[in-house]
Amino acid sequence: MKADFSKPYDPKAVEPEIYKTWLDSGYFNPDTLPGKREKNYIVYMPLPNVTGALHMGHLLNNSLQDILIRYHRMRGYRTLYLPGTDHAGIATQYKVEKELQKEGTSRFKLGREKFIERVWQWKEKYGGAILNQLKQIGISADWSRLRFTMDETYAKDVKAAFVHYFEKGLIYRGARTVNWCPRCGTSLSELELEHKEEQGHLWYVKYPIANRESGIENREYIMVATTRPETMFGDTAVAVNPQDKRYAALVGKSVKLPLTDREIPIVADLKIDPSFGTGALKVTPAHDILDFEIGQRNKLPTIQVIDERGKMNDKAGEYAGMKTEEARAAVVQKLKDLGFLEKEEDYVHNVAICYRCGHVIEPIPSMQWFLKMEKLAKNSLKAVKSGQVDIRPENFETIYFNWLENIRDWTLSRQLWWGHQLPVYFCKEDKDKFVVAEEKPKACPFCKQCGMEQSEDVLDTWFSSALWPFAGLSESDKKKYYPGNALITARDILNLWVARMVFSGLEFMGDVPFKDVLIHGTILTKDGKRMSKSLGTGIDPLKYIDQFGADAARFAIVWQANGQDIRWDEAAVAAGRKFGNKIWNASRFVLEQMGDAAPESEPEPQTDADEEILRKLAAAKKSTERAIEEFEFSKALQGLYDFFWHDLCDVYLETSKKQMADKGAATRGVLFFVLESSLKMLHPFMPFITEAVYQKFPGRRGLLMVAEWDR
RNA sequence: GGGCGUUUAGCUCAGUGGUAGAGCGUUUCAUUGACAUUGAAAAGGUCAGAGGUUCAAUCCCUCUAACGCCCACCA
């Protein structure tokens, strides 16, 4: 490392070399750290998706984690910062599909095997790029332990987890109405939907009361309002709010479904809004998510009338084979002709569309795999309520509790190609028969002759990420490096990810995966808009690293990260660079006073100025320690900035020039001590420049990254 | 619709029951030996609005307004 003191600090020239020195030292690896270290300090990196490049959120997240790791490493802990990347199921598949689209082909033309090859190529390319970017930020993760969520060993743990849950009776298979994209041929999670306003109609349709006894309100029909009359062939009830007096007498009665011979019941359900439409809802469990839930609660049958391609099936009688839009028009006409249609209103409503292709979503029933959440959710709840896991800021606990207290069973299966295929093997002769096992059975236990066929479904990405704190570790590491200490993440995945890691850890390792969960802010643009690539508001942090250096970028993001959302202010990066320059020059001044040998003894203050700077140093150290341990990183950095720039440079350095003549030795002793201590404290925040300066200290010494915090 | 959060100097944000703070920006002055990516100093705020509690409120309570986020989404 030959940073040249005669020139201004040049991060571009110095950073790669320093990073290499760190890597070569082996100190990122907890097993090869110097000294006797008894206590662990472990951070499991939130897995970046291999979908593309890093964003400002990664810079923030990893800077904070690296501060914790570097701080604890210097304090004598056996530190592990475990890095990894996530295959990110649908997100990555979508990216690759986009790429194929540009090439004029598609995954269907390629076939599953070829397509997955393509995704692996993508993963190599972008996953690799992400890792390089993380290195440029300067994070001290143990790259020898790098994992990808589809690595073989990881996959083994994923399969084992699935089998474990199944054998425990927590996984079941069942039909459920899911959001289905007829064009993509897959179900979509709620996160994968977008909503679009559409000009539609609201039709008021009369459903005649069956077996009408005289006296019941003297009503001949109950009127429902619907935007989708074509689904009426799948109606299995009419639902009203139990508190709705208009219909109280009708609950329990039946209606005769128009255009069919079927009779369906009138049921009561709290989810019905009495003020909307007529206050009566036709319930079509097969083709509406809310209706499906009403159906579950009221034990209604499910009748599917629309198929996977978005066409009416034979349950729709004369409309079979029509597209839903055609059938809708035809059904309306028929209802009108037969006098069932009361009126038609124009109506603007939101329809769900596929976030990938924009096609309108068609809810249809499909066979999915579920994980029973009741017990597992309770474990995650208890872990936080009992204080085994601390979430901060504290108000995020409410979000966590609300989600877990209202949990539904987790739909584990996805109809995607990129991901962990379910360890479920079907009999080719009887497709209802299956085996759940980590390995494919040699022979089919049912028909005794077929070779069995693995389920084509893959697992929800979060199923594998939920196992990260231990599936990311080798068998021997599982004993050594679990559980972790702090988990730092953004609030949007508190439930999707954190809550699931907590119960997974308890389930498979018998302990929570970490003690503290720190939720940091989201990075917004200066106008308060969310930073996002798709909105074109995202900024690549490498822009700043290239221009001002990693330390300046880290400084800027940490400076602004005080807990709430951050309206990103570029000016802070320039401030970071200026501070780096200040450190550089102050260090040069101090070291120029030293000559070839550094003072070895404790500083011996002789003047008021000496006393004062040592007192302020001690105070700064104390408050830095407290702030880091309380996860108040911004406060810690600002305190150090203030101390270094003003107390040390503006005041003491100037004073030292005056007292150098007659109290040279003592002054040098104080200067050196204060500088060395300051560099240590600044190192977790601005690792490169502090290390670069430290390497210029006279005499042989090791790396600042493993220097003892207290000396 | 439900929940949460924010509103303090031109900008981005800290902060405290008792004369308001930082960074950046602005103005003035200084300057050849650590640093002009500098130093010294200054200007700039009825701490969103209204009401309440209190000897005292930017800080506690209520309401209002604007903005942001999350969840549920309306047949």
Side-chain angles (χ1 to χ4, degrees):
Chain A
M1 276 180 265
K2 40 184 187 304
D4 187 350
F5 249 157
S6 67
K7 292 179 189 157
Y9 179 64
D10 177 10
K12 269 200 127 150
V14 177
E15 286 177 359
E17 207 180 339
I18 291 179
Y19 200 80
K20 186 171 182 304
T21 310
W22 287 336
L23 271 180
D24 293 346
S25 73
Y27 298 158
F28 288 175
N29 183 337
D31 299 328
T32 53
L33 272 169
K36 210 171 119 204
R37 291 164 188 262
E38 275 152 17
K39 281 192 280 182
N40 281 341
Y41 194 87
I42 297 166
V43 171
Y44 306 119
M45 177 190 294
L47 301 163
N49 293 343
V50 293
T51 42
L54 287 179
H55 56 253
M56 293 303 290
H58 289 110
L59 175 65
L60 171 61
N61 184 253
N62 287 288
S63 296
L64 300 185
Q65 287 161 165
D66 197 45
I67 289 167
L68 284 178
I69 287 291
R70 287 183 183 273
Y71 172 75
H72 285 94
R73 189 185 290 119
M74 292 170 83
R75 298 217 67 166
Y77 286 78
R78 198 189 301 119
T79 45
L80 171 60
Y81 188 177
L82 185 70
T85 49
D86 196 318
H87 69 280
I90 191 161
T92 310
Q93 174 162 330
Y94 177 50
K95 289 274 184 183
V96 177
E97 282 190 72
K98 277 267 169 176
E99 204 176 56
L100 292 178
Q101 205 174 34
K102 276 188 210 145
E103 296 167 18
T105 179
S106 75
R107 72 177 158 111
F108 300 104
K109 285 183 194 157
L110 250 66
R112 186 164 184 152
E113 204 172 312
K114 278 261 159 46
F115 177 74
I116 288 175
E117 261 175 48
R118 271 298 289 263
V119 187
W120 275 103
Q121 284 167 20
W122 171 283
K123 179 260 167 186
E124 289 308 323
K125 187 172 160 196
Y126 288 95
I130 286 168
L131 300 177
N132 280 330
Q133 291 172 321
L134 287 171
K135 289 173 186 172
Q136 285 193 57
I137 294 172
I139 66 165
S140 55
D142 182 4
W143 301 108
S144 72
R145 286 181 159 83
L146 176 69
R147 280 291 162 82
F148 177 57
T149 52
M150 296 230 311
D151 283 348
E152 238 175 86
T153 57
Y154 204 108
K156 197 164 169 286
D157 283 359
V158 170
K159 281 183 213 149
F162 189 95
V163 172
H164 166 91
Y165 283 133
F166 182 79
E167 285 174 353
K168 228 179 153 181
L170 293 181
I171 285 183
Y172 63 93
R173 187 172 181 240
R176 172 163 171 172
T177 298
V178 297
N179 294 302
W180 183 266
C181 175
R183 185 177 295 166
C184 299
T186 182
S187 63
L188 297 169
S189 74
E190 280 166 30
L191 302 172
E192 292 151 1
L193 302 181
E194 283 177 9
H195 294 272
K196 188 178 78 174
E197 263 197 2
E198 195 183 69
Q199 182 59 245
H201 300 277
L202 196 54
W203 286 279
Y204 290 77
V205 183
K206 298 173 194 168
Y207 282 21
I209 308 288
N211 306 321
R212 190 160 67 93
E213 298 160 24
S214 54
I216 299 180
E217 309 267 315
N218 196 28
R219 247 188 282 192
E220 290 176 24
Y221 57 83
I222 186 165
M223 190 148 61
V224 299
T226 179
T227 56
R228 303 200 55 192
E230 78 278 12
T231 63
M232 64 183 291
F233 302 103
D235 287 2
T236 51
V238 168
V240 298
N241 192 295
Q243 265 125 49
D244 194 332
K245 292 197 182 98
R246 293 172 295 176
Y247 301 116
L250 293 175
V251 173
K253 301 289 168 192
S254 300
V255 297
K256 186 157 176 298
L257 190 60
L259 314 187
T260 72
D261 318 322
R262 280 196 293 127
E263 272 186 26
I264 57 176
I266 298 171
V267 300
D269 195 284
L270 280 166
K271 282 275 178 175
I272 307 302
D273 176 1
S275 66
F276 188 88
T278 63
L281 168 73
K282 69 189 246 335
V283 184
T284 322
H287 298 293
D288 185 282
I289 308 274
L290 177 67
D291 290 11
F292 180 77
E293 284 167 20
I294 295 171
Q296 295 287 97
R297 277 194 289 274
N298 292 282
K299 306 215 172 1
L300 302 173
T302 295
I303 301 174
Q304 180 172 357
V305 298
I306 299 168
D307 68 17
E308 296 172 0
R309 293 159 306 157
K311 290 189 174 162
M312 307 304 293
N313 68 13
D314 52 11
K315 292 278 188 347
E318 60 185 284
Y319 306 97
M322 285 188 187
K323 283 192 172 167
T324 51
E325 296 82 6
E326 294 172 71
R328 187 177 308 160
V331 168
V332 166
Q333 190 56 50
K334 183 92 174 225
L335 288 170
K336 198 183 281 179
D337 292 347
L338 296 177
F340 287 112
L341 189 71
E342 171 77 11
K343 61 174 171 173
E344 172 183 323
E345 284 175 357
D346 284 340
Y347 183 64
V348 178
H349 62 137
N350 277 325
V351 294
I353 57 173
C354 174
Y355 87 111
R356 298 187 288 161
C357 72
H359 196 279
V360 174
I361 293 305
E362 189 62 66
I364 62 170
S366 98
M367 286 305 268
Q368 303 291 342
W369 295 81
F370 300 91
L371 179 60
K372 288 185 190 168
M373 287 302 298
E374 198 186 338
K375 182 78 198 320
L376 297 170
K378 274 193 186 132
N379 293 342
S380 286
L381 264 175
K382 207 175 119 203
V384 172
K385 289 205 164 152
S386 68
Q388 269 183 292
V389 174
D390 269 335
I391 297 177
R392 49 183 103 193
E394 222 172 274
N395 55 307
F396 289 111
E397 286 188 353
T398 316
I399 296 173
Y400 180 89
F401 293 152
N402 283 346
W403 190 70
L404 288 168
E405 280 161 4
N406 298 298
I407 196 101
R408 296 181 207 165
D409 285 351
W410 182 4
T411 312
L412 295 178
S413 45
R414 295 291 127 98
Q415 287 66 51
L416 294 172
W417 288 358
W418 175 242
H420 293 278
Q421 265 178 271
L422 271 57
V424 176
Y425 300 89
F426 289 97
C427 171
K428 286 184 189 165
E429 300 298 316
D430 183 348
K431 303 262 183 188
D432 287 332
K433 297 227 162 86
F434 59 83
V435 172
V436 173
E438 288 186 45
E439 301 294 334
K440 185 175 181 176
K442 290 206 179 76
C444 175
F446 306 109
C447 70
K448 313 282 184 205
Q449 47 190 344
C450 83
M452 305 208 82
E453 203 164 42
Q454 185 169 10
S455 165
E456 293 202 342
D457 290 354
V458 300
L459 285 162
D460 180 9
T461 299
W462 296 106
F463 187 83
S464 50
S465 1
L467 313 179
W468 166 235
F470 52 91
L473 296 169
S474 70
E475 289 310 310
S476 59
D477 276 357
K478 282 188 174 89
K479 296 184 190 95
K480 256 169 106 177
Y481 298 120
Y482 185 96
N485 295 74
L487 183 94
I488 306 188
T489 188
R491 75 171 91 78
D492 49 347
I493 52 177
L494 178 62
N495 295 330
L496 286 176
W497 190 47
V498 178
R500 287 164 174 172
M501 276 194 288
V502 172
F503 71 67
S504 303
L506 287 165
E507 186 73 16
F508 297 101
M509 300 296 285
D511 196 0
V512 294
F514 29 71
K515 171 82 185 72
D516 292 298
V517 175
L518 179 72
I519 307 293
H520 62 235
T522 305
I523 316 272
L524 309 173
T525 65
K526 213 168 174 178
D527 312 321
K529 304 250 165 61
R530 192 186 188 82
M531 257 197 205
S532 120
K533 254 179 264 169
S534 54
L535 294 174
T537 50
I539 298 177
D540 186 343
L542 291 190
K543 173 185 156 191
Y544 302 114
I545 293 178
D546 280 348
Q547 220 177 325
F548 300 109
D551 289 328
R554 288 171 65 129
F555 175 96
I557 199 85
V558 175
W559 183 270
Q560 295 182 69
N562 54 59
Q564 57 174 301
D565 288 353
I566 298 160
R567 289 195 186 196
W568 172 250
D569 186 359
E570 284 197 354
V573 190
R577 184 183 54 156
K578 276 167 67 176
F579 186 46
N581 185 249
K582 196 74 179 172
I583 294 171
W584 187 249
N585 286 300
S587 302
R588 169 162 65 191
F589 171 76
V590 172
L591 294 183
E592 275 171 358
Q593 311 304 314
M594 295 307 135
D596 291 337
E600 288 303 328
S601 56
E602 290 294 302
E604 287 160 22
Q606 293 194 5
T607 64
D608 287 350
D610 294 346
E611 299 278 6
E612 172 142 0
I613 191 65
L614 290 173
R615 209 180 58 240
K616 285 193 165 159
L617 173 70
K621 189 171 171 210
K622 208 167 196 177
S623 65
T624 301
E625 289 167 359
R626 191 163 46 225
I628 292 177
E629 278 155 31
E630 288 296 314
F631 306 110
E632 294 178 306
F633 304 106
S634 177
K635 196 173 156 191
L637 178 59
Q638 293 189 28
L640 283 170
Y641 175 94
D642 205 43
F643 168 77
F644 193 89
W645 198 304
H646 300 114
D647 296 327
L648 178 58
C649 294
D650 292 346
V651 179
Y652 187 72
L653 245 57
E654 294 308 320
T655 311
S656 78
K657 291 173 188 170
K658 291 172 200 139
Q659 60 181 51
M660 195 64 78
D662 54 334
K663 298 196 170 56
T667 303
R668 278 194 288 276
V670 173
L671 274 177
F672 188 77
F673 179 76
V674 176
L675 177 67
E676 184 179 20
S677 305
S678 301
L679 290 177
K680 282 184 192 170
M681 292 194 288
L682 284 164
H683 182 256
F685 301 87
M686 304 177 79
F688 288 105
I689 190 166
T690 48
E691 185 73 81
V693 170
Y694 194 75
Q695 291 311 311
K696 303 188 87 61
F697 277 21
R700 284 182 65 84
R701 33 183 95 228
L703 292 172
L704 180 60
M705 72 175 286
V706 288
E708 282 175 49
W709 183 266
D710 294 303
R711 179 188 67 102

